[in-house]
Amino acid sequence: MTAMLRVVLGDQLSRGIAALTDLDAARDVVLLAEVMGECTYVPHHPQKIAMVLAAMRHFATALRARGVTVRYVTLDDPDNTASLSGEVARAVAALRPSRIIATEPGEYRVRQAMRSWADATGIPCEIREDTRFLASTEAFARWAEDRRQLRLEFFYREMRRKYRLLLDGEAPEGGRWNYDAENRKALPATMPIPSPRRFPPDSETRAVIALVASRFATHPGTLERFDYPVTAQDAEAGAADFLTHRLPQFGDWQDAMAAGTPYMFHSLVSAPLNLGLLDPLDLCQRAEAEYRAGRAPLNAVEGFIRQILGWREFIRGVYWLHMPDYAAKNALGADQKLPGFYWTGETDMRCMADAIGQTLTLAYAHHIQRLMITGNFALLAGLDPDAVDRWYLAVYADAYEWVEMPNTRGMALHADGGIVGSKPYAASGAYINRMSNYCGTCHYDVKDATGARACPFNALYWDFIARHEALFAANPRMAMPVRGWRAMTDQKRGKLRARAASLRNALTEGIRI
Ligand code: FAD
Ligand code: DLZ
Ligand code: SF4
């Protein structure tokens, strides 16, 4: 009889995952199950499915090499029940363990299912805290208690002190906690950008790619350019490549965008990090070491650490603090259906076509593309948050609900009414023009707001301010655009609203814009 059944989910592929800490290799069995339910609850990008399944298979191989017994269920196993709960029940029936041990999952939906495993199988199920995060959900809830507003900046400072990162005694290194203002340079016309190290698939991954190609042909996105790391060693090599070659410039160009330049100076660590192939504290400490050795400037290293130690943990804290209510939030009453071009990239807006196009071919877009291009458009056009959430969860290789949802509903759509950010990240074409070279080759004129070829972001921006004028007038951080709107002539306001109405109508009717 098996002593313990230890369940490891597809995004829990860390050697030190809580469910395995006291593993008895001689008596316990580790369950990893490829299941259709997890591959289809949204139409995940085929590269995301391939990455998860290939990483699961490599993780199982590494466990077996350590003498561990693994019950590995493949997607094409004829007895596969298609769900995590079904596979746990089947394993319990076959192995008769005395107990199930699992680690808290990254989605509320899966947590609810996991909590039913004990009753469903008739044996105890111990669910352990996921210790891979730097702020536990309890610690975050304690921090959030009694605060009127949750703000990243204060959380981040506490995390810097707690983990002793970039400190000079008790003060922040360099005298400031945050060098955000130095992360906003626009890219010059010629700027060499080092290509990131990528990882061509080995034979095991190629087998997964073939399986995914045959099963998920209808999901949006292509498989041809799959080259994600699927082992801890490769993920480590990818992170080292970033720390050496791109971190020094990460700070200056963190908010910049350029056509046909998908990665800029970004780290590309999110997908392997969220799977468990990298350790967040190790990444932060190694980035700090680059600064201490004089190889990377403070604005770059602080910016990178802020994203991982600050934003990533803050976002996860918000998710668990506010679920399940968070998933229903729609503070701006947005209800426009998601335009088809989100799934195809077929639009005349150069910035949108570029960001969506690379998303479909790479399952990746960097933060400013997600926030200020596709997210900003969804915000301004009033797209339904449920549909937008579903899209972001489906198309990115790094997307799991704990991180995707507060970024989408909160940061991008302001549908949470200001839990994640104190004001909407709304911007007209002028911002996109300043931070990218998209507009120069666009069908639309970024300087025009009301003509037939006027940049859609411009009229939609003012229409967004007008639609929420009363709400925004009461928010000091939105007072300026409201004043700008009110200062316009009636004639100008009428033209802007007419242009926006025709754009919104085109979205409803499926007319190409
Ligand atoms: P870098 O720019 O190199 O940043 C370094 C790391 O910091 C990232 O790998 C990530 O782990 C962390 N990070 C940075 N910003 C955030 C943030 N806002 N929230 C959480 N972690 C952050 N990130 C995901 O990991 N999964 C998602 O599903 C996801 N969905 C998003 C949806 C929207 C609408 C927006 C605006 C952002 C989303 N993000 C998501 C955050 C961010 O865009 C990605 O983490 C980042 O683009 C990943 O690329 P990178 O590894 O090259 O990041
Ligand atoms: C994303 C994903 C996919 C595509 N497939 C599987 C799978 O077959 N088996 C599995 O255990 N996990 C998979 N995952 C990851 C889960 O969806 C993830 O663990 C939950 O969403 C919780 O974060
Ligand atoms: Fe995007 Fe408008 Fe610029 Fe075209 S003109 S690339 S739509 S911001």
Side-chain angles (χ1 to χ4, degrees):
M1 183 165 139
T2 302
M4 310 283 182
L5 179 69
R6 295 176 184 269
V7 181
V8 176
L9 303 182
D11 56 353
Q12 298 183 337
L13 307 178
S14 312
R15 199 175 160 154
I17 191 79
L20 301 184
T21 45
D22 49 357
L23 172 80
D24 179 345
R27 302 176 64 219
D28 298 347
V29 172
V30 176
L31 173 68
L32 285 124
E34 298 175 0
V35 293
M36 215 46 181
E38 293 306 305
C39 298
T40 55
Y41 67 93
V42 291
H44 297 294
H45 196 300
Q47 290 194 38
K48 175 181 181 184
I49 302 176
M51 183 181 194
V52 175
L53 302 194
M56 286 173 70
R57 291 187 185 191
H58 283 85
F59 189 76
T61 305
L63 282 177
R64 287 191 178 115
R66 284 166 48 204
V68 177
T69 306
V70 179
R71 179 181 165 98
Y72 193 96
V73 183
T74 56
L75 202 63
D76 47 13
D77 180 332
D79 295 325
N80 195 320
T81 55
S83 77
L84 292 171
S85 298
E87 285 314 298
V88 168
R90 207 159 66 88
V92 168
L95 303 169
R96 321 268 303 318
S98 56
R99 171 182 286 261
I100 303 166
I101 301 184
T103 309
E104 285 276 11
E107 296 199 10
Y108 186 85
R109 164 189 70 87
V110 182
R111 190 174 81 175
Q112 295 309 93
M114 200 177 258
R115 286 181 176 178
S116 73
W117 290 352
D119 280 350
T121 59
I123 58 167
C125 176
E126 180 186 334
I127 303 176
R128 296 181 176 173
E129 184 194 330
D130 190 342
T131 52
R132 297 173 301 169
F133 290 92
L134 301 172
S136 68
T137 49
E138 271 177 24
F140 188 86
R142 270 197 310 278
W143 173 80
E145 220 170 46
D146 302 331
R147 278 172 202 267
R148 208 170 48 83
Q149 284 189 319
L150 307 182
R151 287 295 160 254
L152 176 274
E153 189 57 31
F154 301 110
F155 171 76
Y156 169 56
R157 288 179 194 181
E158 288 196 15
M159 293 293 279
R160 285 268 293 279
R161 289 198 192 95
K162 179 171 174 194
Y163 287 96
R164 312 260 358 124
L165 284 162
L166 284 182
L167 291 185
D168 175 5
E170 290 310 306
E173 179 68 21
R176 273 158 54 199
W177 289 103
N178 187 319
Y179 291 82
D180 195 20
E182 288 168 40
N183 298 148
R184 295 181 192 148
K185 284 194 190 165
L187 205 67
T190 53
M191 174 89 193
I193 300 172
S195 298
R197 178 158 173 198
R198 305 299 283 164
F199 302 92
D202 64 8
S203 59
E204 186 147 42
T205 303
R206 284 200 299 275
V208 171
I209 290 175
L211 174 73
V212 171
S214 70
R215 294 292 190 95
F216 305 102
T218 58
H219 288 206
T222 57
L223 266 167
E224 283 68 33
R225 289 182 61 185
F226 182 94
D227 54 5
Y228 279 99
V230 295
T231 63
Q233 290 88 328
D234 279 355
E236 167 53 34
D241 174 61
F242 163 71
L243 291 169
T244 309
H245 300 297
R246 300 192 302 286
L247 175 64
Q249 275 122 321
F250 175 83
D252 283 352
W253 319 112
Q254 201 175 324
D255 286 4
M257 298 170 281
T261 314
Y263 303 122
M264 303 295 291
F265 294 97
H266 291 273
S267 67
L268 319 189
V269 296
S270 57
L273 182 61
N274 295 348
L275 279 190
L277 303 179
L278 291 169
D279 172 50
L281 185 57
D282 175 63
L283 286 172
C284 293
Q285 289 169 336
R286 286 167 61 198
E288 174 164 4
E290 293 301 304
Y291 166 70
R292 300 279 175 207
R295 289 190 293 263
L298 186 55
N299 74 327
V301 172
E302 188 282 314
F304 181 68
I305 290 177
R306 182 171 3 107
Q307 305 314 316
I308 295 200
L309 179 75
W311 277 114
R312 186 168 186 268
E313 298 290 333
F314 179 81
I315 285 288
R316 176 172 181 265
V318 165
Y319 177 78
W320 286 113
L321 193 65
H322 289 285
M323 281 300 280
D325 300 352
Y326 203 87
K329 289 196 183 293
N330 189 359
L332 299 179
D335 59 2
Q336 180 87 36
K337 86 177 204 283
L338 189 83
F341 61 70
Y342 270 79
W343 300 106
T344 63
E346 286 166 14
T347 161
D348 294 329
M349 294 178 281
R350 179 76 161 102
C351 53
M352 290 288 281
D354 195 76
I356 296 170
Q358 73 169 67
T359 297
L360 296 173
T361 53
L362 303 171
Y364 178 85
H366 62 73
H367 186 65
I368 294 301
Q369 292 175 307
R370 296 189 208 194
L371 183 63
M372 300 310 296
I373 305 290
T374 46
N376 183 29
F377 186 88
L379 171 75
L380 301 183
L383 305 187
D384 172 5
D386 288 347
V388 182
D389 245 340
R390 199 172 123 81
W391 183 78
Y392 278 101
L393 191 55
V395 297
Y396 291 111
D398 58 22
Y400 299 90
E401 201 176 87
W402 65 266
V403 56
E404 173 279 322
M405 188 178 278
N407 268 302
T408 303
R409 260 176 209 260
M411 196 184 295
L413 300 183
H414 206 68
D416 66 359
I419 296 173
V420 166
S422 54
K423 76 173 193 53
Y425 282 93
S428 67
Y431 170 88
I432 296 170
N433 195 26
R434 191 164 63 248
M435 297 312 296
S436 78
N437 62 6
Y438 290 135
C439 305
T441 53
C442 184
H443 163 85
Y444 293 108
D445 177 0
V446 71
K447 303 267 190 248
D448 188 8
T450 53
R453 296 279 283 259
C455 167
F457 282 84
N458 292 338
L460 288 174
Y461 173 81
W462 289 114
D463 186 62
F464 172 71
I465 302 294
R467 280 187 283 129
H468 304 291
E469 185 180 342
L471 181 71
F472 294 162
N475 179 343
R477 300 199 62 202
M478 291 302 283
M480 210 159 82
V482 171
R483 276 201 302 275
W485 172 248
R486 288 177 178 167
M488 287 177 200
T489 61
D490 284 348
Q491 194 197 22
K492 175 124 191 241
R493 285 203 294 245
K495 278 187 175 174
L496 283 167
R497 295 215 68 173
R499 166 77 174 146
S502 94
L503 288 164
R504 283 155 62 83
N505 181 53
L507 297 179
T508 308
E509 298 297 323
I511 299 165
R512 185 175 173 117
I513 63 165

